[in-house]
Amino acid sequence: MSEEKWNDFDEFLKLMPNFVHMNENTERPLVTCDNLIIIDADFADRVAFDLIVNFERIIGRPIPNADLARWIDCLALDGGLREGDNHTQVAIIHSKEKTRLEYFNPGDFKNELNGKAFSDNLGEFAINALSEEQIIGRADLFIDTMQLALHAEEVKRIIAVPDEEYYDDLRAIIRKADKQTEKHITMMAMQPMPGGNFFQEILGYSLMNALGIRSEEINPQ
């Protein structure tokens, strides 16, 4: 978190009311949740589009939009979450002009995602859609959200889907926080990236699962 922008975390929280509470009926602040998934929506949409275009040509059939809940489950599993009564916050960060995930269902930030939740065998997932503003861009918002989670004692597990353009900045703040906190952190990327004090997983596998692309379609016997 850049010191010139934020004097303390209270200022950050004042600017992000939807991020702190799932909805008016659920008083579960972000920083009291054990698990946090942070998604750069603009980046996720670009990757999903590329996969759809390329694999439709390879396997010769239309590929529908990705199942968002299924993808979130896959991310959670990649990040080490297992079956149980878990509570996970999902922060979907997007550019100001973007109103929906174009290649995921459901995708509308305002009407379908923000303040919504779903439950399955991995527990409850509470979703918040958070837009960049004039005072802070999408990359800085993602980085500041990561910084907030790193300093929150209650957060034990962080799974991040960042744009590769600010990946190195995230590595730096995770490395700096390593001496202050012990958390299970997983960074998702489309290719192996420079490592650090965190786990890495390939993003394409979870997205292919959510898109319904089967391994036998890619490698027919």
Side-chain angles (χ1 to χ4, degrees):
M1 182 180 294
S2 51
E3 294 181 0
E4 64 269 24
K5 287 182 180 174
W6 311 108
N7 293 325
D8 53 43
F9 289 119
D10 289 335
E11 285 300 309
F12 179 71
L13 293 174
K14 289 176 185 177
L15 291 168
M16 308 301 166
N18 289 330
F19 187 56
V20 178
H21 298 293
M22 187 176 77
N23 56 45
E24 61 184 4
N25 297 317
T26 302
E27 297 297 318
R28 181 177 297 142
L30 169 74
V31 294
T32 65
C33 214
D34 286 347
N35 310 295
L36 173 64
I37 299 175
I38 316 172
I39 297 171
D40 185 315
D42 297 59
F43 174 69
D45 242 0
R46 291 199 307 272
V47 174
F49 172 76
D50 288 343
L51 289 175
I52 289 171
V53 170
N54 289 325
F55 279 101
E56 281 187 341
R57 184 169 60 249
I58 293 170
I59 65 180
R61 68 166 176 85
I63 296 176
N65 280 5
D67 182 323
L68 182 62
R70 186 172 180 178
W71 183 48
I72 290 172
D73 271 353
C74 290
L75 290 175
L77 290 168
D78 281 344
L81 198 68
R82 295 298 178 259
E83 290 189 20
D85 185 24
N86 303 296
H87 297 284
T88 303
Q89 280 275 358
V90 182
I92 300 179
I93 295 173
H94 60 93
S95 56
K96 192 172 184 179
E97 64 276 6
K98 192 174 183 63
T99 61
R100 63 173 295 114
L101 285 162
E102 297 293 338
Y103 302 102
F104 294 80
N105 287 328
D108 187 287
F109 297 132
K110 181 179 179 181
N111 299 314
E112 297 178 322
L113 298 179
N114 189 48
K116 302 298 191 296
F118 70 91
S119 297
D120 57 23
N121 63 328
L122 295 178
E124 182 189 64
F125 294 85
I127 302 173
N128 292 95
L130 185 60
S131 172
E132 67 179 5
E133 299 295 340
Q134 290 183 348
I135 60 170
I136 183 170
R138 176 171 52 90
D140 286 336
L141 181 55
F142 195 108
I143 292 168
D144 288 349
T145 303
M146 173 66 84
Q147 186 84 309
L148 174 64
L150 288 170
H151 285 78
E153 292 184 5
E154 296 85 350
V155 177
K156 302 297 189 296
R157 185 186 314 276
I158 304 171
I159 301 160
V161 185
D163 196 321
E164 293 174 359
E165 67 183 19
Y166 52 82
Y167 183 94
D168 286 341
D169 294 328
L170 286 176
R171 282 181 63 225
I173 68 164
I174 294 171
R175 183 171 60 247
K176 184 177 180 180
D178 184 42
K179 296 180 181 179
Q180 307 170 22
T181 181
E182 292 185 4
K183 300 184 187 296
H184 188 288
I185 302 170
T186 304
M187 298 275 276
M188 311 296 298
M190 285 301 291
Q191 58 187 349
M193 302 288 282
N197 49 322
F198 50 82
F199 298 94
Q200 288 191 55
E201 295 289 343
I202 298 299
L203 177 62
Y205 298 142
S206 60
L207 277 173
M208 288 169 63
N209 187 301
L211 288 164
I213 301 171
R214 302 184 302 274
S215 59
E216 58 266 28
E217 293 182 290
I218 305 170
N219 300 305
Q221 299 297 323

